[in-house]
Amino acid sequence: MIKNNFITSGLFTDFYELTMAQGYWKKKINDNVVFDVFFRKNPFNGGFSVLAGTEPLFDAIQDFRFSKEDLDFLRQQKIFEEDFLRYLQDFKFTGEIYAMEEGSIVFPQEPVLRIHGNLIETQIIEGLVLNTINFQSLVATKTARIWLTSHKSEIMEFGLRRAQGSDGAMSATRAAFIGGAAGTSNTLAGKLYGIPVMGTMAHSWVMAHDSELEAFREFAKLYPENSIFLIDTYDTLKSGIKNAIIAGGELVKQGYNFGVRLDSGDLAYLTKAVRKELDKAGFPQAKICISNELSEEIISALRSSNSPIDSYGVGTQMVTGGSESSFSGVYKLSAKKSESEKEYIPSMKISDNPEKTSNPGIKNVYRLYDQQNNACADIICLESEKIESGKEYQFHHPIVDYIKFNFTPVQAQELLTIKMSKGKKVEQNMSENEKLLRARKLMEKQLDSFDESYKRILNPHVYKVSLTTGLKKMKMDFINKSISD
């Protein structure tokens, strides 16, 4: 039912998925279909997003089942037929999933996953797919913004106590590491995922001792190699830094180093004052860590004021999404094929809101690079189309008909690759830590390939996500037919 803190019960779905599934089953409608997972806008008014959650999703889908207890619960609802419950007794996903690599930098409207299977299976897993991808991508994106704003400094994820429940804390820690966090205070996540565990001390440690200096000295005796003193319990400048210098000086004489943490007050002013005191005492190597409701905006302001900060402890803003509570991922039918049909028939949602009109057909995505290996555009194309290096193409705006551009890619990278086949993961032999490290490295590598203008915290440049001529024509044919009908 729960694997590495991810739910595998078939009941982890919206109830209407099950009522629809019974309807499909009764009417013998179980066509082969293709669903796209994509999102409509970057969170935080940003210029990019980070894809996270795919690897645990594949694990969960592979083990997604209805237990006897699950079926008993559905029976109690008194709307499901026994024959349908017997069908669910043997339920498992048997289709294929194509996806971008976890840790990929992704953009609105492009499919990040493409799910092939029969209608009942693909509908029932929708909630699991979106729940996993949306939350982890939100946290990974937030963390990457914080990490970039800090100029890639050490970011410690301290969000366990502020996360939305135990499942939220575990997912958030995992996603934060992909997005750039160096470690976590979440000890269980450290065990399960191989993420470095980190921590300093709480104010209660200082207050539990007869004096601040005694608290620092006792901590230093216990953890001489990892002593970071929390110096704002009473008064940062009048007592905290003075006692930290005494206790830290004793450590330095023993061949160790030390650091200090500030968790309140005017951090721009205090960090400069603390740095001055540490340098004056002869400890330029002593590190300064800060915490206290940090966000990318606060860190940006501190960096702009040249505050001497070595590392950041970030909790609430990172693991909850801060000002943005959700990621806008959606799950839309793009093609279907009945038993009597030889080929998939494209499907498309048409909306009065142009940005909510989906792209039809079975699609792939290519990332185009120039001679300097800079990413210049992502192209959504039909699966039958191939984009080759060295050839000139014309690409089209996904919504505005008259906007187009010509480009000759030096490199054209195909982004969607098969991850599950016949309901089983294609790749089986990697540990959780290996998966996370791979995703983290990919995030860093791909971010480096984008111009700084796309990574700005405020008013980022909009990265091109465009359509091939073939896909644009198919989309416009659908729209024009709907207008004429």
Side-chain angles (χ1 to χ4, degrees):
M1 295 280 285
I2 298 180
K3 181 177 181 180
N4 284 348
N5 209 62
F6 290 95
I7 296 172
T8 57
S9 166
L11 295 185
F12 194 60
T13 188
D14 290 302
F15 191 64
Y16 76 166
E17 304 286 15
L18 296 171
T19 57
M20 287 191 296
Q22 179 169 249
Y24 295 142
W25 173 82
K26 272 184 75 73
K27 295 181 70 177
K28 294 182 169 54
I29 301 173
N30 202 15
D31 298 344
N32 289 321
V33 296
V34 178
F35 278 90
D36 290 339
V37 178
F38 61 95
F39 62 103
R40 292 197 170 110
K41 69 181 185 69
N42 289 314
F44 319 113
N45 295 313
F48 69 91
S49 296
V50 179
L51 177 63
T54 56
E55 290 297 333
L57 173 64
F58 302 147
D59 285 331
I61 289 175
Q62 186 170 259
D63 296 330
F64 202 64
R65 300 288 190 276
F66 290 88
S67 68
K68 181 182 181 299
E69 293 76 16
D70 293 339
L71 297 174
D72 287 343
F73 174 79
L74 293 179
R75 190 173 288 113
Q76 292 168 17
Q77 308 313 303
K78 301 187 184 305
I79 64 171
F80 296 106
E81 297 183 11
E82 280 300 319
D83 285 346
F84 176 64
L85 294 177
R86 276 192 286 274
Y87 167 82
L88 292 182
Q89 182 177 320
D90 298 322
F91 175 89
K92 61 180 179 179
F93 178 73
T94 61
E96 284 73 48
I97 297 181
Y98 295 78
M100 295 187 188
E101 297 292 340
E102 187 166 32
S104 293
I105 305 305
V106 293
F107 300 93
Q109 304 304 324
E110 59 189 23
V112 296
L113 282 85
R114 196 179 77 215
I115 300 176
H116 298 236
N118 67 53
L119 185 57
I120 293 177
E121 290 176 13
T122 52
Q123 287 271 210
I124 287 177
I125 66 170
E126 176 180 356
L128 174 65
V129 171
L130 291 180
N131 175 271
T132 308
I133 297 300
N134 280 342
F135 181 65
Q136 291 208 35
S137 296
L138 180 77
V139 174
T141 303
K142 184 70 169 180
T143 307
R145 287 167 55 85
I146 291 171
W147 181 64
L148 287 174
T149 304
S150 75
H151 293 196
K152 301 182 180 179
S153 299
E154 182 179 73
I155 303 293
M156 297 175 285
E157 181 267 304
F158 285 171
L160 184 148
R161 63 189 62 187
R162 299 292 178 85
Q164 285 93 338
S166 58
D167 53 342
M170 296 298 292
S171 297
T173 296
R174 184 185 185 282
F177 184 76
I178 292 173
T184 180
S185 65
N186 184 341
T187 313
L188 180 59
K191 173 191 172 184
L192 292 181
Y193 305 134
I195 298 171
V197 288
M198 298 176 170
T200 59
M201 63 173 63
H203 293 107
S204 56
W205 173 268
V206 179
M207 296 163 69
H209 290 79
D210 290 337
S211 71
E212 190 175 48
L213 179 57
E214 180 191 356
F216 293 168
R217 279 174 163 161
E218 290 301 315
F219 197 84
K221 288 178 185 177
L222 289 169
Y223 312 109
E225 295 181 352
N226 298 284
S227 286
I228 298 179
F229 305 125
L230 182 59
I231 61 175
D232 69 331
T233 303
Y234 302 120
D235 190 299
T236 299
L237 298 181
K238 291 182 179 178
S239 66
I241 185 58
K242 296 182 184 303
N243 288 319
I245 286 172
I246 294 171
E250 292 166 357
L251 274 176
V252 170
K253 289 178 181 178
Q254 299 172 50
Y256 301 105
N257 195 13
F258 72 100
V260 298
R261 176 163 74 96
L262 292 88
D263 189 52
S264 62
D266 185 335
L267 295 174
Y269 167 74
L270 288 173
T271 52
K272 291 176 183 176
V274 165
R275 181 77 270 163
K276 184 177 179 180
E277 291 296 316
L278 289 169
D279 291 348
K280 186 171 66 175
F283 303 122
Q285 77 281 12
K287 305 294 186 183
I288 298 176
C289 170
I290 66 166
S291 51
N292 188 28
E293 299 295 325
L294 300 177
S295 66
E296 60 266 50
E297 292 82 7
I298 292 172
I299 293 173
S300 178
L302 290 169
R303 299 291 305 191
S304 297
S305 69
N306 295 315
S307 299
I309 300 165
D310 298 291
S311 61
Y312 302 81
V314 188
T316 306
Q317 293 288 323
M318 184 182 291
V319 302
T320 66
S323 61
E324 192 126 359
S325 60
S326 65
F327 196 77
S328 60
V330 294
Y331 191 91
K332 298 299 178 186
L333 184 69
S334 63
K336 58 186 177 180
K337 178 171 72 74
S338 67
E339 290 184 4
S340 62
E341 292 168 325
K342 294 182 179 180
E343 297 182 352
Y344 279 91
I345 306 301
S347 298
M348 176 179 169
K349 176 189 175 183
I350 299 176
S351 173
D352 290 336
N353 297 328
E355 67 275 7
K356 287 195 171 184
T357 296
S358 63
N359 294 308
I362 304 176
K363 300 174 291 296
N364 208 330
V365 184
Y366 282 81
R367 182 156 295 163
L368 308 185
Y369 294 87
D370 63 15
Q371 289 183 335
Q372 287 73 45
N373 204 33
N374 295 319
C376 297
D378 281 13
I379 305 301
I380 309 173
C381 64
L382 296 171
E383 187 189 32
S384 58
E385 298 178 299
K386 301 296 179 186
I387 299 177
E388 300 176 13
S389 303
K391 292 181 64 175
E392 184 178 16
Y393 296 88
Q394 184 173 83
F395 302 115
H396 304 261
H397 192 282
I399 299 173
V400 183
D401 190 38
Y402 59 85
I403 298 179
K404 58 192 73 172
F405 74 102
N406 285 37
F407 189 74
T408 303
V410 172
Q411 178 189 354
Q413 180 188 10
E414 189 175 359
L415 298 184
L416 292 174
T417 58
I418 192 162
K419 297 299 181 183
M420 295 190 74
S421 177
K422 297 180 181 179
K424 298 290 186 182
K425 293 194 303 177
V426 172
E427 186 180 77
Q428 298 283 351
N429 299 319
M430 292 186 71
S431 70
E432 296 300 316
N433 182 245
E434 287 172 330
K435 294 173 188 175
L436 278 178
L437 288 172
R438 180 177 64 179
R440 167 70 168 267
K441 289 177 182 177
L442 180 64
M443 179 278 301
E444 295 181 18
K445 180 181 177 181
Q446 288 198 1
L447 272 180
D448 286 343
S449 72
F450 289 93
D451 186 79
E452 294 300 318
S453 62
Y454 302 121
K455 297 180 281 189
R456 289 194 299 252
I457 298 303
L458 295 176
N459 300 318
H461 193 60
V462 177
Y463 182 74
K464 285 186 177 70
V465 176
S466 302
L467 311 182
T468 58
T469 300
L471 179 54
K472 182 70 173 184
K473 181 180 184 304
M474 179 184 286
K475 184 173 186 176
M476 295 310 299
D477 286 346
F478 265 92
I479 293 172
N480 291 333
K481 185 177 184 300
S482 73
I483 294 173
S484 62
D485 290 345

